[in-house]
């Protein structure tokens, strides 16, 4: 076997990542409580006003166990107005994305293809008005999926420190962890949907058909900028975001970052095979236990 002293620092880092699912991709974030809570809004009184307004909007939903569509729409419009007035307020973008997920679900980047022949026949035999309604509904969901991704990207852009060693406020760290977790959840759901709707998910999504009679929901729900992504691409993106969320203190991200990484899974298969070969087809108890974490 390769002697440990011949491994490069990068090799050692990769092996650590494989055998330690709880490890994070980088050093811990430097948190400085003395920094302004929002790097773009350093006026404390202005920030307090924005937060008060934002809490009022969110509390209108949280006080109801099952908010109606009308209530969700009202909160969405209020957050949108807040963002228009204060485009540098990152927390509002993060909360609007969460509101979209609350109303439309997390599986909105890719809509699964019809799963059975009976469903396919139902689509083929549906009336033109029913098809139009389905397409309009999917297009509305697509619009909000784009908005959610834009909001999360904006949140991350606004709050990410200029360098890995730059300090960050506790509030910014918390919001960044939430934003990365939300984006990871969207990507992870898309990976599962694409795998279910297209068993050969290593192939990218097909471009949409121009004939609505032959148009399946998955085709119009694939976002243009993500159309070439495979299920593995979505899984890798989700894993990266979960890991970054873990860096910022997110427990869910720390737990899932490596666990769902398709590269780590593949490495696990390779390591187990290497162990079997090294030990004549039977890995020792210790090596088997080590490989089992993958």
């Amino acid at each position: 076997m390769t002697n440990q002293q011949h491994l490069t620092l990068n090799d050692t880092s990769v092996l650590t990542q494989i055998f330690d699912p709880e490890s994070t991709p980088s050093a811990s974030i430097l948190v400085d409580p003395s920094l302004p809570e929002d790097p773009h809004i350093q006026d404390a009184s202005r920030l307090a006003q924005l937060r008060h307004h934002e809490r009022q909007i969110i509390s209108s939903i949280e006080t109801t166990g099952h908010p109606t569509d009308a209530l969700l729409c009202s909160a969405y419009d209020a957050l949108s107005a807040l963002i228009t007035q204060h485009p540098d307020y990152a927390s509002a973008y993060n909360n609007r994305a969460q509101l979209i997920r609350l109303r439309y679900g997390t599986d909105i980047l890719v809509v699964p293809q019809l799963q059975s022949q009976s469903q396919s026949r139902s689509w083929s035999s549906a009336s033109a008005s029913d098809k139009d309604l389905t397409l309009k509904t999917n297009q509305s969901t697509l619009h909000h999926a784009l908005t959610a991704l834009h909001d999360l990207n904006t949140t991350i852009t606004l709050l990410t420190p200029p360098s890995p060693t730059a300090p960050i406020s506790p509030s910014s760290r918390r919001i960044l962890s939430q934003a990365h977790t939300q984006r990871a959840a969207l990507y992870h759901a898309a990976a599962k949907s694409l795998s279910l709707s297209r068993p050969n998910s290593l192939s990218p999504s097909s471009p949409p058909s121009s004939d609505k009679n032959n148009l399946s929901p998955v085709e119009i729900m694939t976002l243009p900028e993500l159309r070439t992504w495979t299920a593995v691409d979505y899984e890798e993106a989700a894993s990266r975001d979960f890991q970054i969320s873990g860096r910022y203190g997110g427990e869910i991200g720390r737990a899932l970052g490596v666990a769902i990484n398709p590269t780590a899974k593949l490495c696990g298969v390779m390591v187990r095979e290497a162990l079997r070969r090294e030990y004549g087809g039977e890995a020792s108890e210790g090596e088997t236990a080590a490989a089992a974490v993958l």
Side-chain angles (χ1 to χ4, degrees):
M1 294 180 67
T2 303
N3 193 305
Q4 177 68 30
Q5 68 182 7
H6 294 153
L7 296 177
T8 66
L9 289 176
N10 184 64
D11 292 335
T12 303
S13 175
V14 170
L15 288 174
T16 299
Q17 191 75 4
I18 293 173
F19 285 105
D20 181 10
E22 299 299 318
S23 64
T24 52
S26 304
S28 298
I29 295 295
L30 178 60
V31 179
D32 185 352
S34 68
L35 290 174
E37 294 187 70
D38 188 304
H40 299 280
I41 306 175
Q42 302 192 17
D43 185 333
S45 61
R46 180 188 172 212
L47 181 59
Q49 291 175 353
L50 290 175
R51 285 185 166 176
H52 178 69
H53 186 190
E54 184 181 24
R55 279 195 296 267
Q56 286 183 318
I57 298 171
I58 300 303
S59 64
S60 68
I61 301 173
E62 292 178 340
T63 54
T64 305
H66 300 283
T68 63
D69 280 348
L71 188 58
L72 291 173
C73 286
S74 177
Y76 178 89
D77 291 341
L79 281 175
S80 297
L82 182 62
I83 288 171
T84 300
Q85 296 168 3
H86 305 279
D88 53 355
Y89 184 44
S91 179
Y93 291 100
N94 183 58
N95 277 320
R96 187 169 68 173
Q98 189 167 359
L99 185 62
I100 290 172
R101 291 178 56 220
L102 179 62
R103 184 181 182 193
Y104 292 93
T106 296
D107 192 4
I108 56 177
L109 299 185
V110 175
V111 171
Q113 269 182 327
L114 304 174
Q115 297 296 319
S116 66
Q117 290 183 352
S118 61
Q119 288 176 313
S120 297
R121 285 195 297 269
S122 296
W123 174 260
S124 299
S125 61
S127 66
S129 61
D130 286 343
K131 288 182 178 179
D132 284 339
L133 179 60
T134 298
L135 296 181
K136 287 178 181 178
T137 300
N138 287 345
Q139 287 166 349
S140 174
T141 304
L142 173 61
H143 167 75
H144 287 91
L146 283 168
T147 301
L149 269 184
H150 169 270
D151 285 353
L152 295 173
N153 292 341
T154 302
T155 301
I156 291 167
T157 298
L158 285 171
L159 295 183
T160 298
S163 72
T165 58
I168 188 173
S169 73
S171 176
S172 293
R173 180 182 69 169
R174 174 181 55 80
I175 296 172
L176 274 172
S177 176
Q178 292 174 352
H180 279 288
T181 297
Q182 287 204 81
R183 195 169 67 177
L186 290 174
Y187 288 151
H188 186 50
K192 291 195 295 184
S193 288
L194 198 57
S195 296
L196 289 172
S197 63
R198 298 188 177 188
N200 185 20
S201 58
L202 292 179
S203 301
S205 304
S206 302
S209 168
S210 59
D211 182 359
K212 71 180 179 183
N213 291 320
N214 296 321
L215 187 62
S216 65
V218 72
E219 290 173 330
I220 73 163
M221 286 307 302
T222 302
L223 301 177
E225 62 268 36
L226 303 178
R227 188 161 289 138
T228 60
W229 281 31
T230 66
V232 172
D233 293 325
Y234 280 111
E235 285 181 346
E236 289 179 342
S239 176
R240 285 193 298 271
D241 269 328
F242 275 133
Q243 289 186 52
I244 295 173
S245 172
R247 250 188 102 204
Y248 288 117
E251 294 299 328
I252 294 177
R254 185 177 292 114
L256 294 179
V258 176
I260 69 169
N261 189 306
T263 303
K265 293 175 184 176
L266 177 60
C267 287
V269 174
M270 296 171 64
V271 169
R272 284 192 290 271
E273 178 63 23
L275 290 173
R276 282 194 292 270
R277 292 180 180 180
E278 178 69 19
Y279 291 91
E282 289 292 335
S284 69
E285 182 178 348
E287 280 80 14
T288 301
V293 305
L294 304 172

